């Protein structure tokens, strides 16, 4: 729900931006919201899929994310090239994002199964970085040995 609030604020703020600086800040907020959703997607994949399936599922999520972002940028660029004003091109996103925000808020507060799933996911084991043994290694060796090593809690 928070992500949709951020996207809605970023889009509305970008449309109403009086200067390029304000537009840049709204773009930054939009990028931050995307970063939050990427972290959530990785957590969901980590909680739902086993160790053997996880790499393929993460690759699918990453590919779909980049593919969608690329298509969106191409579409937005084509509209701008066709002569549409950038504010006018962005305006349809505000009601769409508002509708998605209302839908997610409604589902969150009315779907007990969703809350139970979220609680179960919060209690599920998560991946954490293993603690490095610093007693006898150089920093470079230590970084190499521990950079991808994980353990279940």
């Amino acid at each position: 729900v928070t992500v949709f609030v951020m996207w809605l604020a970023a889009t509305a703020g970008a449309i109403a931006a009086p200067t390029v600086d304000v537009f840049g800040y709204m773009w930054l907020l939009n990028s931050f919201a995307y970063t939050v959703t990427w972290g959530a997607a990785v957590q969901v994949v980590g909680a739902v899929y086993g160790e053997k399936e996880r790499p393929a599922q993460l690759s699918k999520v990453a590919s779909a994310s980049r593919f969608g972002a690329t298509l969106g940028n191409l579409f937005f660029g084509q509209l701008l090239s066709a002569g549409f004003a950038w504010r006018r091109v962005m305006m349809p996103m505000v009601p769409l994002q508002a509708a998605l925000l209302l839908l997610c808020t409604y589902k969150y507060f009315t779907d007990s199964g969703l809350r139970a799933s979220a609680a179960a996911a919060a209690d599920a084991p998560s991946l954490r970085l293993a603690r490095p043994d610093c007693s006898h290694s150089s920093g470079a060796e230590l970084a190499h040995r521990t950079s991808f090593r994980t353990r279940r809690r």
Side-chain angles (χ1 to χ4, degrees):
V1 172
T2 304
V3 171
F4 285 109
V5 170
M6 292 169 66
W7 275 327
L8 188 60
T11 303
I15 291 169
T19 66
V20 173
D21 288 342
V22 174
F23 180 83
Y25 293 132
M26 295 301 105
W27 191 272
L28 183 64
L29 180 61
N30 185 356
S31 296
F32 181 68
Y34 171 78
T35 302
V36 171
T37 52
W38 174 247
V42 170
Q43 285 182 345
V44 169
V45 168
V48 171
Y49 294 97
E51 284 187 42
K52 290 183 180 179
E53 300 169 301
R54 197 173 297 134
Q57 296 303 322
L58 286 171
S59 294
K60 288 177 185 176
V61 169
S63 296
S65 170
R66 295 312 321 150
F67 184 71
T70 301
L71 284 181
N73 287 335
L74 288 171
F75 182 71
F76 185 68
Q78 290 297 317
L79 290 173
L80 294 176
S81 294
F84 289 95
W86 63 270
R87 283 189 169 105
R88 195 156 187 207
V89 170
M90 294 178 71
M91 282 183 190
M93 293 307 300
V94 172
L96 175 64
Q97 290 171 346
L100 290 172
L101 172 62
L102 290 173
L103 177 66
C104 287
T105 303
Y106 173 78
K107 290 294 282 177
Y108 180 78
F109 287 110
T110 60
D111 189 357
S112 60
L114 181 64
R115 285 193 305 277
S117 296
D123 292 336
S126 62
L127 293 175
R128 298 192 182 271
L129 288 177
R131 290 200 172 167
D133 176 15
C134 299
S135 60
H136 61 281
S137 300
S138 73
E141 290 173 327
L142 180 64
H144 176 70
R145 269 199 341 253
T146 60
S147 61
F148 295 104
R149 187 174 51 166
T150 58
R151 67 175 171 87
R152 285 204 172 264
R153 99 177 139 136

